[in-house]
Amino acid sequence: MQKIIDAISAAAIRVKKLIEFGDTGYSEHINKTGDTQLKLDIASDLIIEEEFKKISSIKSIISEEKDEIKLLHVDGKYIVGYDPLDGSSLIDVNLAVGSIFGIYENGTEGSNIVGAVYVVYGPRTEMVVAKEDARLYRLNESGEFKEVKTIKLNQKGKLNATGATQKGWPTYHKKLIEEIFADGYRLRYSGGMVPDLHQILLKGGGLFSYPSTSDAPKGKLRLVFEVFPFAFVFEKAGGVAIDGKKRLLELKPSHIHDTSPCFFGSNEEIERVLNEYSKH
Ligand code: F6P
Ligand code: MG
């Protein structure tokens, strides 16, 4: 698996340059989830694919920007699901974005995930690698990712990141979020899953929620390349990740672009979600 992590590091350095200097315009393509692809989405997907082609242990790749699963090496052991440039529409307002990777064996159900990596392209470029634990790395001046620390969530945090449009929220979700704010939590939400979850992980905890909504009952975030990788990172950092009732890593996607409502956080906040959601 280390070779895959090295390939991700190499790709991340190339994607970072692309973000800084590449063309931020739209392409003519619409991806499987209905987003019009930016030229940067397509270019970063190609960079990552190029780096993964060099790694013989990767059997196949599933990208948010590709309609179908792509076979790389028949004898490979791992399937890598990735979102090459999450939050890419934030680039034109110069906010942080990221790349997310889930490393799977024998399938792409939540229980098949064996490792997860994400990269944050912000004022600094950072990478979090989750295997037995979750570790933070930072890109240095020599172009190497150096380990900074192991990430550990507290039992309870102070941040509340709430996704989707409020007019589509179920009433019980609205009640839960209002109660959390009433208890003194601060709103932190940029609209980029990677920096928003990274902030919760590094500030010790809190809650990130992307609920079911009236127009999207299964939420928006994709299981294979967004939700499962972050669920794995949160669990390895001592946190919890659920769909409202159930552990996210117990879910089985019905297709590669399947989505789910999701809640990531430290123990106390997730306990509050479970209490409220179990009544409905
Ligand atoms: O990939 C989808 C995404 O851009 C995530 O990065 C982010 O968490 C989410 O959409 C934001 O969605 P919304 O604007 O509906 O809260
Ligand atoms: Mg995304």
Side-chain angles (χ1 to χ4, degrees):
M1 194 184 321
Q2 190 52 43
K3 287 203 174 131
I4 301 179
I5 295 162
D6 293 343
I8 293 174
S9 312
I13 292 166
R14 295 176 61 192
V15 171
K16 169 187 149 60
K17 288 214 180 88
L18 182 78
I19 294 168
E20 283 172 9
F21 306 112
D23 179 348
T24 56
Y26 281 97
S27 74
E28 317 246 288
H29 305 262
I30 295 177
N31 70 13
K32 199 75 179 176
T33 2
D35 304 327
T36 305
Q37 290 171 305
L38 287 168
K39 290 179 186 163
L40 289 177
D41 290 321
I42 299 171
S44 42
D45 185 32
L46 289 176
I47 288 175
I48 293 166
E49 182 180 334
E50 246 175 63
E51 295 297 334
F52 283 168
K53 273 188 179 150
K54 301 176 193 165
I55 313 297
S56 59
S57 63
I58 302 179
K59 186 186 180 90
S60 49
I61 53 175
I62 303 173
S63 165
E64 179 173 332
E65 304 305 337
K66 297 187 201 305
D67 291 352
E68 306 295 337
I69 188 161
K70 182 158 187 171
L71 183 70
L72 293 189
H73 306 99
V74 200
D75 297 323
K77 175 174 173 190
Y78 299 106
I79 305 163
V80 185
Y82 64 95
D83 182 351
L85 205 46
D86 180 70
S88 53
S89 63
L90 297 173
I91 292 175
D92 60 2
V93 290
N94 207 11
L95 286 179
V97 294
S99 303
I100 315 168
F101 304 85
I103 305 170
Y104 300 85
E105 263 184 62
N106 306 316
T108 52
E109 295 181 2
S111 60
N112 295 120
I113 194 163
V114 292
V117 180
Y118 69 84
V119 182
V120 193
Y121 311 99
R124 293 162 164 181
T125 302
E126 294 186 330
M127 177 166 76
V128 170
V129 178
K131 289 188 288 186
E132 289 78 32
D133 53 16
R135 292 194 195 175
L136 173 69
Y137 297 80
R138 187 173 297 139
L139 189 65
N140 68 13
E141 283 172 300
S142 323
E144 294 153 11
F145 281 98
K146 287 283 176 215
E147 187 173 333
V148 180
K149 63 172 182 178
T150 300
I151 301 176
K152 270 276 155 225
L153 285 168
N154 300 328
Q155 280 295 104
K156 179 179 188 300
K158 296 181 180 143
L159 307 181
N160 193 13
T162 67
T165 50
Q166 296 196 24
K167 76 172 188 177
W169 287 359
T171 46
Y172 52 90
H173 181 72
K174 195 167 164 58
K175 173 176 172 275
L176 168 74
I177 294 300
E178 282 170 357
E179 282 171 5
I180 293 175
F181 279 132
D183 284 346
Y185 282 75
R186 284 178 191 280
L187 170 65
R188 289 290 181 269
Y189 194 74
S190 73
M193 184 184 196
V194 175
D196 287 338
L197 285 169
H198 192 56
Q199 181 164 205
I200 289 174
L201 284 160
L202 292 189
K203 300 279 189 195
L207 178 67
F208 174 99
S209 45
Y210 205 105
S212 151
T213 56
S214 47
D215 56 340
K218 291 192 86 182
K220 174 186 188 187
L221 299 175
R222 296 83 169 173
L223 284 166
V224 176
F225 20 77
E226 295 177 322
V227 173
F228 289 156
F230 270 111
F232 191 81
V233 173
F234 267 74
E235 289 195 0
K236 294 297 172 186
V240 194
I242 58 167
D243 70 351
K245 295 188 174 163
K246 229 170 134 175
R247 214 176 135 237
L248 284 164
L249 292 181
E250 285 169 15
L251 300 184
K252 300 172 194 230
S254 55
H255 57 90
I256 58 173
H257 292 270
D258 201 6
T259 59
S260 170
C262 52
F263 302 80
F264 304 90
S266 27
N267 283 285
E268 286 201 16
E269 289 80 11
I270 296 291
E271 202 50 49
R272 294 181 77 149
V273 177
L274 282 167
N275 278 340
E276 189 56 45
Y277 270 68
S278 63
K279 299 177 199 155
H280 304 280

